[in-house]
Amino acid sequence: MAVSMRDLDSAFQGAGQKAYPFGLEIWRIENFRPVPVPKSSHGKFFTGDSYVILQTTALKSGSLRHDIHYWLGKDTSQDEAGVAAIKTVELDAALGGRAVQYREVQGHETEKFLSYFKPCIIPQEGGVASGFKHAEAMEHQTHLFVCRGKHVVHVPFARSSLNHDDIFILDTKLKIFQFNGSNSSIQERAKALEVVQYIKDTYHDGKCEVAAVEDGKMMADAETGEFWGFFGGFAPLPRKTASDEDKTDVSFPTKLFHVEKGRAEPVEADSLTRELLDTNKCYILDCGVEVFIWMGRNTSLDERKSASGAAEELVRAAERPKSLIVRVIEGFETVMFKSKFESWPQTTNVTVSEDGRGKVAGIIHSYLLFPMFMDLLFNDSTALLRRQGVNVNGLLKTAPVKEEPQPYIDVTGNLQVWSVNDQEKILIPAANQSKFYSGGCYIFQYSYSGEDREEYLIGTWFGKKSVEEERASAISLVSKMVESLKFLPSQARIYEGNEPIQFFSIFQSFIVFKGGHSSGYKKYIAENELPDETCKEDGVALFRVQGSGPDNMQAIQVEPVASSLNSSYCYILHNDSSVFTWSGNLTTSEDQELIERQLDLIKPNMQSKPQKEGSESEQFWDLLGGKSEYPSQKLAREAESDPHLFSCIFSKGNLKVSEIYNFTQDDLMTEDIFILDTHSEIFVWVGQQVDSKSKLQALCIGEKFLENDFLLKKSSCETPIYIVMEGSEPPFFTRFFTWDSAKSSMHGNSFQRKLAIVKNGGTPLLDKPKRRTPVSYGGRSSVPDKSQRSRSMSFSPDRVRVRGRSPAFNALAANFESPNARNLSTPPPVVRKVYPKSVSPDSAKLASKSAAIAALTAGFEQPPPARQVIMPRSVKVSTEAPKLTPESNSKEKPISIRIESLTIQEDVKEGEAEDEEGLPIYPYERLKVNSPDPVTEIDVTKRETYLSAAEFREKFGMGKDAFYKLPKWKQNKLKMALQLF
């Protein structure tokens, strides 16, 4: 039966169109009608009232998610509570019938609901119903509150209310006291301080003193004596007595009911399965403290209201626990609801009949223009809605703008890579450090510039055919590396085929060959009598080329058969005498540029034969064993979804998690471990105060989290795992928060830190730990000088030259650098400067000034190369690891820094304007990358430094000092926008 638009309340007009934090809308039930609550009163609830709360959240998919709650004060009337429940169903119908609905009872609110009003809600006495009046503004009265978990409860102002287990807040006119029961935890005390701050700001305009009182302290302490003075003096506290709130019936049997004519009828079944639920009915799943109402898509509005009434009657029965009611619509069930069933399919085909469509379509307002409404609810029923007079303009969801994933890490750092052979790691020469084998395990250490110090990422990469013994060895070796660095580095565990954007951006160019050379792999294939797939120079090999650009490109070896081709990719095919490049019809010019770059790495000394899809030569097909069908769509990778934060308890191999909704940085407690799940990768955040044993278990915690699949999203156990240490959080982690790095650098535990903030008006007291120079794993310094970090470089066939340095600089640098140990460039693989034994930063001496000038002159006289190639045909790199002291106290500057300084001085010409740093000044138009009249003899990686202070501020919107305080990736982004990079 269709429902008239007149049945929907006008107060809900336009609701649900703005996303959080502006998407919170509240209505109070007054005279059985919903009345909007102004924004200024959000979070203020009265015990005698009932409320409807709508939370709208924008998802990464571009659609909006709605959560509806109806809150019942302890003194609200049954009639008002019933109206709130009915209005919630109506609001859900107006929003498209897929919102999750929660019944919230004062003192038993869900964590999701409380997260909208952090840190707490403190209901006030009063209400709009007869017999109640809202409290008027009056002289401040002393109140006593108890903090129980995330709930704050007003208790009688008496000594008998206190106990040793809870935390109490005494709010007086001039001072707020926090009494910490001796059995309370540090984390509970820290969270209670957030309530103290809330009371201070809300009821004292931020102008009152705060004192912390420890249970058991003697009266000699002034603030302790003052506290006990309000209770008539100190006296022993009574034991905490069990209340109704503390009692839960964990053994309550789960029962399923279907609703017929407003009554709940039992469903007989041996086990709970999805097949028991009929799309034409409503059901009640009674789990004791949780009661779920499941509403089929073909049910009417009246049937849904009837099911809500039956559930309300069920929870009012005697001798049952306080129950939370959650209403879910078919196709949009919560994780908690689905977890109650023994089996639940990953996807469910929901068939909506014409009658069912009419039941819901009749209640849709023409003014509700929700961008996500039509595609999921009605599919192809636009015409049906138009026939019913509904305005559908704008209802279809617009596809979200596809953005290229960003690495959120400085990609100009220093990289070292080791291969794992049995229980040892072997340093890979820089020229080959981006070439991995699918049968191998690898360890990488990457250092890059952080906000005020060098940051480190140490990780493992496991090939698809790698053996378990070598994987375990790699993890053990990395753990020792991280532990020796006092757990400062972030850690990564990555599997082939699941590499995150950060990994590819660090390596820039990345090649995966079949097979492997480790003894573990060789032993495995010998014992199992498997063929050795290791790529050979004279064998047939096919590589799929992919990536987004020169700084993020990969070549993956695949089976050399036609079915491995894909119209969306480019490929390289070779044997001992021929090389073919194949471009699919759906590839772009950028894709085809990448294939040329990768060709210089895979087969640098052979001329390729280009092949376009549809016009291939017979020789090409012969190498692949003949033609066959192949796909055309790009390979799908795990997309990043809306992040979820979980607190973790790991004990005896068991992991227990609890989700934190609407999380912030303040939810991360230094004593605990948390997991941030973004679907495409997970982060295990470890606080500074976590014990060493637990820190070593961080990777195991991440693996257990993936194994248990708490969000029921069928995540792969090979999803990338990052272990992030407090105080060393990388930018690709902090981007999910509004981050203040000063908070993780404070003194003390969580309680001490927050107490300092509350007492000092929100100013953190910093504790910047002194960062020691890391151990060098492989005989070279892990902290390169700035010139070593440059990864944006180019090649000529005659000499290896760093792009961005003048010819003068390169000529001068050649006097100090071994020809076998030079900085190489992009396109990758990136080869950093490696000092051979004979020339090290500690032993090399600067050449005389005359020799430098002579070298400078020789550099100018060199003729330009005859032709440019993208990659060098041969690169010689010292395979012997240099031996350097990891922590050098030498007062001399590194050679490359001194050379660069000298070069800049030599580049300054007489008569040119100079800035305050002594650099020449040039106009912006001449400094641009594509300038028709470009400036020569400048450091082109730092074009912006040659702008005048006034023009710099005009272009960048900030001064130079502010600009260079930005993260490196953000600097580069601004420079690229201005064509200066």
Side-chain angles (χ1 to χ4, degrees):
M1 165 178 169
V3 180
S4 169
M5 286 166 39
R6 292 191 299 272
D7 292 335
L8 294 174
D9 203 292
S10 60
F12 296 141
Q13 180 173 348
Q17 299 185 56
K18 293 182 180 180
Y20 184 84
F22 308 104
L24 188 64
E25 299 169 81
I26 304 177
W27 297 265
R28 181 170 57 198
I29 304 302
E30 299 181 9
N31 297 322
F32 307 109
R33 297 291 302 275
V35 177
V37 175
K39 296 285 185 184
S40 59
S41 296
H42 283 190
K44 184 183 292 184
F45 295 89
F46 291 90
T47 61
D49 289 335
S50 296
Y51 296 79
V52 175
I53 299 93
L54 169 64
Q55 172 63 41
T56 305
T57 307
L59 304 178
K60 284 187 175 291
S61 63
S63 62
L64 298 176
R65 184 189 70 213
H66 297 107
D67 293 285
I68 307 174
H69 308 254
Y70 60 105
W71 185 88
L72 309 178
K74 64 181 179 66
D75 298 318
T76 192
S77 67
Q78 188 170 323
D79 289 340
E80 279 192 351
V83 171
I86 296 300
K87 292 299 179 183
T88 298
V89 177
E90 290 183 8
L91 177 58
D92 169 55
L95 294 172
R98 57 167 153 174
V100 180
Q101 304 157 50
Y102 303 83
R103 176 181 182 264
E104 310 284 356
V105 178
Q106 181 181 342
H108 299 272
E109 297 89 351
T110 63
E111 292 192 11
K112 179 184 277 286
F113 176 81
L114 293 174
S115 73
Y116 308 148
F117 310 101
K118 287 186 176 182
C120 66
I121 60 170
I122 303 178
Q124 302 179 36
E125 296 293 327
V128 295
S130 59
F132 287 98
K133 290 184 179 180
H134 288 167
E136 302 293 335
M138 59 184 67
E139 184 71 16
H140 188 279
Q141 294 183 350
T142 299
H143 293 286
L144 183 65
F145 303 96
V146 60
C147 298
R148 291 175 180 151
K150 297 185 184 303
H151 296 88
V152 180
V153 181
H154 185 273
V155 294
F157 176 32
R159 183 191 290 110
S160 59
S161 296
L162 303 175
N163 60 61
H164 298 292
D165 299 309
D166 294 320
I167 298 171
F168 295 83
I169 297 173
L170 179 64
D171 178 22
T172 70
K173 183 176 182 180
L174 300 178
K175 185 178 287 190
I176 302 173
F177 298 87
Q178 177 171 314
F179 176 81
N180 299 320
S182 57
N183 297 330
S184 62
S185 69
I186 291 174
Q187 295 92 322
E188 290 172 330
R189 299 176 186 187
K191 282 297 179 185
L193 277 173
E194 295 178 3
V195 179
V196 170
Q197 183 71 58
Y198 170 79
I199 294 173
K200 178 181 176 180
D201 294 338
T202 305
Y203 301 107
H204 297 269
D205 295 325
K207 300 174 184 177
C208 72
E209 295 183 46
V210 172
V213 177
E214 298 299 324
D215 184 10
K217 265 195 175 182
M218 295 296 100
M219 293 285 289
D221 182 275
E223 290 182 334
T224 301
E226 187 179 357
F227 171 80
W228 286 113
F230 285 97
F231 296 93
F234 175 81
L237 297 181
R239 286 179 175 270
K240 181 180 180 180
T241 56
S243 61
D244 291 339
E245 287 80 2
D246 301 318
K247 298 175 182 177
T248 57
D249 190 356
V250 295
S251 61
F252 195 93
T254 299
K255 300 175 184 177
L256 181 65
F257 303 86
H258 70 270
V259 180
E260 291 287 345
K261 298 180 180 180
R263 297 180 61 85
E265 302 292 341
V267 175
E268 301 296 333
D270 296 330
S271 61
L272 287 177
T273 62
R274 169 65 179 84
E275 289 71 24
L276 294 173
L277 306 177
D278 184 350
T279 189
N280 298 299
K281 295 181 179 180
C282 292
Y283 293 82
I284 296 174
L285 182 63
D286 186 3
C287 305
V289 293
E290 297 165 323
V291 174
F292 295 92
I293 304 172
W294 185 88
M295 298 173 288
R297 293 292 293 270
N298 285 340
T299 55
S300 67
L301 183 61
D302 285 339
E303 287 171 327
R304 297 178 185 185
K305 289 180 179 179
S306 178
S308 296
E312 292 280 352
E313 184 177 347
L314 184 68
V315 299
R316 283 196 294 265
E319 295 187 4
R320 63 169 289 132
K322 293 280 187 180
S323 300
L324 161 72
I325 296 179
V326 181
R327 297 193 289 243
V328 297
I329 188 71
E330 181 182 5
F332 301 95
E333 297 87 353
T334 63
V335 171
M336 188 60 69
F337 176 80
K338 290 188 285 188
S339 69
K340 305 296 182 183
F341 289 75
E342 289 188 12
S343 62
W344 192 277
Q346 181 70 4
T347 57
T348 305
N349 294 323
V350 180
T351 303
V352 184
S353 67
E354 287 295 316
D355 181 54
R357 284 175 174 153
K359 291 176 182 178
V360 183
I363 65 171
I364 302 299
H365 288 269
S366 61
Y367 53 76
L368 289 177
L369 306 179
F370 297 109
M372 81 310 178
F373 186 72
M374 294 296 296
D375 60 334
L376 287 174
L377 184 61
F378 292 132
N379 298 325
D380 60 346
S381 58
T382 307
L384 173 66
L385 292 177
R386 286 200 181 101
R387 288 198 299 271
Q388 297 203 19
V390 178
N391 180 9
V392 298
N393 293 331
L395 281 176
L396 291 174
K397 183 180 74 174
T398 57
V401 178
K402 185 178 180 181
E403 296 182 356
E404 195 68 39
Q406 299 296 319
Y408 296 98
I409 190 172
D410 179 1
V411 297
T412 63
N414 187 63
L415 177 66
Q416 288 178 289
V417 183
W418 297 262
S419 62
V420 176
N421 190 36
D422 281 340
Q423 298 181 0
E424 298 178 345
K425 65 182 191 296
I426 302 171
L427 182 65
I428 298 177
N432 296 321
Q433 64 184 12
S434 62
K435 298 178 180 179
F436 285 19
Y437 284 85
S438 191
C441 296
Y442 296 83
I443 295 171
F444 64 91
Q445 177 177 293
Y446 182 66
S447 60
Y448 60 96
S449 297
E451 287 187 359
D452 56 358
R453 63 190 181 193
E454 206 77 6
E455 300 292 350
Y456 299 89
L457 175 64
I458 299 177
T460 56
W461 182 92
F462 300 146
K464 290 181 178 178
K465 299 295 182 67
S466 59
V467 297
E468 194 61 41
E469 293 79 5
E470 289 184 338
R471 292 181 182 183
S473 295
I475 291 173
S476 177
L477 290 167
V478 165
S479 296
K480 291 176 182 177
M481 293 168 69
V482 172
E483 188 175 5
S484 69
L485 297 176
K486 297 184 177 179
F487 296 100
L488 289 174
S490 297
Q491 188 176 337
R493 188 220 65 179
I494 297 168
Y495 281 89
E496 178 186 352
N498 290 276
E499 297 89 349
I501 182 65
Q502 293 86 4
F503 179 84
F504 284 147
S505 298
I506 288 171
F507 280 84
Q508 298 188 350
S509 176
F510 187 67
I511 305 175
V512 179
F513 297 93
K514 282 179 168 291
H517 297 290
S518 72
S519 57
Y521 173 76
K522 296 293 185 183
K523 180 181 177 182
Y524 174 78
I525 62 174
E527 290 178 349
N528 293 274
E529 298 181 351
L530 299 173
D532 188 351
E533 299 178 326
T534 305
C535 184
K536 297 178 176 61
E537 282 291 324
D538 58 351
V540 177
L542 179 66
F543 294 87
R544 182 181 67 247
V545 177
Q546 60 194 39
S548 59
D551 294 335
N552 171 21
M553 59 180 182
Q554 304 91 47
I556 312 299
Q557 187 177 359
V558 295
E559 288 295 322
V561 293
S563 59
S564 296
L565 299 176
N566 188 311
S567 300
S568 295
Y569 294 94
C570 295
Y571 290 78
I572 296 172
L573 173 66
H574 76 76
N575 62 5
D576 58 338
S577 59
S578 303
V579 179
F580 295 90
T581 59
W582 184 87
S583 301
N585 287 332
L586 300 181
T587 59
T588 64
S589 58
E590 289 81 4
D591 296 328
Q592 292 154 20
E593 179 186 349
L594 295 185
I595 198 173
E596 293 299 325
R597 293 174 178 269
Q598 291 287 22
L599 188 62
D600 284 320
L601 295 170
I602 295 172
K603 278 289 184 180
N605 300 315
M606 297 181 66
Q607 185 66 37
S608 66
K609 300 175 183 179
Q611 307 284 302
K612 185 69 177 174
E613 182 178 7
S615 58
E616 301 88 348
S617 66
E618 288 298 325
Q619 186 183 3
F620 174 82
W621 290 120
D622 288 343
L623 279 180
L624 293 178
K627 295 182 180 180
S628 69
E629 292 185 358
Y630 51 82
S632 60
Q633 292 186 343
K634 278 206 170 186
L635 301 177
R637 296 183 65 88
E638 290 288 357
E640 186 178 279
S641 64
D642 297 279
H644 298 262
L645 183 68
F646 298 85
S647 61
C648 303
I649 298 176
F650 187 63
S651 177
K652 298 179 180 179
N654 296 316
L655 179 64
K656 181 181 179 181
V657 301
S658 177
E659 184 168 2
I660 299 172
Y661 300 96
N662 296 312
F663 59 84
T664 67
Q665 181 184 356
D666 290 334
D667 290 311
L668 302 175
M669 309 290 263
T670 188
E671 298 80 15
D672 292 329
I673 294 177
F674 294 82
I675 289 179
L676 180 67
D677 183 358
T678 69
H679 188 61
S680 59
E681 52 200 7
I682 69 166
F683 299 84
V684 182
W685 184 91
V686 183
Q688 290 178 359
Q689 306 261 338
V690 172
D691 63 90
S692 297
K693 181 181 178 181
S694 297
K695 287 179 179 178
L696 292 172
Q697 293 177 326
L699 179 59
C700 182
I701 291 173
E703 292 174 335
K704 279 286 184 183
F705 180 85
L706 291 174
E707 180 185 323
N708 290 333
D709 193 22
F710 289 101
L711 292 176
L712 302 180
K713 58 186 182 181
K714 304 297 182 183
S715 292
S716 168
C717 287
E718 295 184 357
T719 298
I721 298 175
Y722 290 102
I723 299 170
V724 176
M725 297 298 171
E726 181 184 13
S728 300
E729 294 89 350
F732 53 88
F733 171 81
T734 59
R735 71 187 181 95
F736 295 102
F737 301 80
T738 301
W739 195 261
D740 181 0
S741 57
K743 288 185 177 179
S744 59
S745 301
M746 293 181 67
H747 294 281
N749 58 39
S750 298
F751 172 70
Q752 293 165 338
R753 294 180 186 187
K754 292 196 176 182
L755 182 61
I757 292 175
V758 171
K759 286 191 171 185
N760 290 280
T763 304
L765 299 179
L766 301 185
D767 177 23
K768 295 279 188 181
K770 187 175 180 180
R771 187 79 169 228
R772 76 185 187 96
T773 304
V775 177
S776 175
Y777 294 96
R780 59 180 289 205
S781 172
S782 298
V783 187
D785 57 46
K786 292 292 181 184
S787 65
Q788 283 178 260
R789 295 199 201 109
S790 175
R791 295 168 59 114
S792 182
M793 313 167 188
S794 63
F795 290 96
S796 79
D798 295 330
R799 72 182 278 108
V800 178
R801 184 164 70 83
V802 179
R803 187 180 75 207
R805 297 175 179 173
S806 65
F809 178 86
N810 287 281
L812 187 60
N815 286 271
F816 304 100
E817 296 178 0
S818 165
N820 292 329
R822 288 177 180 157
N823 278 309
L824 304 184
S825 67
T826 42
V830 176
V831 183
R832 282 90 175 173
K833 185 182 299 180
V834 178
Y835 292 96
K837 287 185 177 179
S838 59
V839 182
S840 71
D842 297 323
S843 62
K845 303 296 181 181
L846 282 173
S848 65
K849 185 174 182 180
S850 59
I853 295 173
L856 204 61
T857 308
F860 293 130
E861 294 172 352
Q862 288 182 355
R867 57 181 287 269
Q868 295 285 336
V869 295
I870 297 175
M871 293 296 295
R873 293 305 179 183
S874 62
V875 179
K876 294 182 180 180
V877 179
S878 173
T879 57
E880 185 173 7
K883 297 181 179 179
L884 299 180
T885 305
E887 300 185 21
S888 175
N889 294 322
S890 172
K891 295 183 179 179
E892 292 187 18
K893 294 183 179 179
I895 293 173
S896 54
I897 293 179
R898 287 179 281 167
I899 295 173
E900 193 158 358
S901 175
L902 179 58
T903 303
I904 292 173
Q905 294 175 20
E906 294 289 348
D907 283 345
V908 178
K909 300 178 180 178
E910 286 189 25
E912 291 180 329
E914 296 183 357
D915 68 357
E916 62 275 11
E917 297 177 356
L919 292 174
I921 299 300
Y922 297 103
Y924 167 70
E925 293 301 327
R926 292 193 63 196
L927 290 170
K928 291 195 302 183
V929 173
N930 59 353
S931 173
D933 181 24
V935 181
T936 59
E937 304 307 323
I938 64 169
D939 183 348
V940 296
T941 65
K942 299 179 180 178
R943 295 174 184 269
E944 75 284 356
T945 60
Y946 300 94
L947 290 170
S948 67
E951 195 165 18
F952 189 99
R953 183 173 292 277
E954 176 188 348
K955 298 298 180 183
F956 286 90
M958 65 186 78
K960 291 186 179 181
D961 289 343
F963 175 78
Y964 288 114
K965 289 179 181 177
L966 296 174
K968 193 72 174 179
W969 65 268
K970 191 171 289 187
Q971 293 179 24
N972 291 340
K973 192 172 183 180
L974 291 172
K975 286 160 65 175
M976 289 178 67
L978 292 170
Q979 300 180 23
L980 292 173
F981 184 74

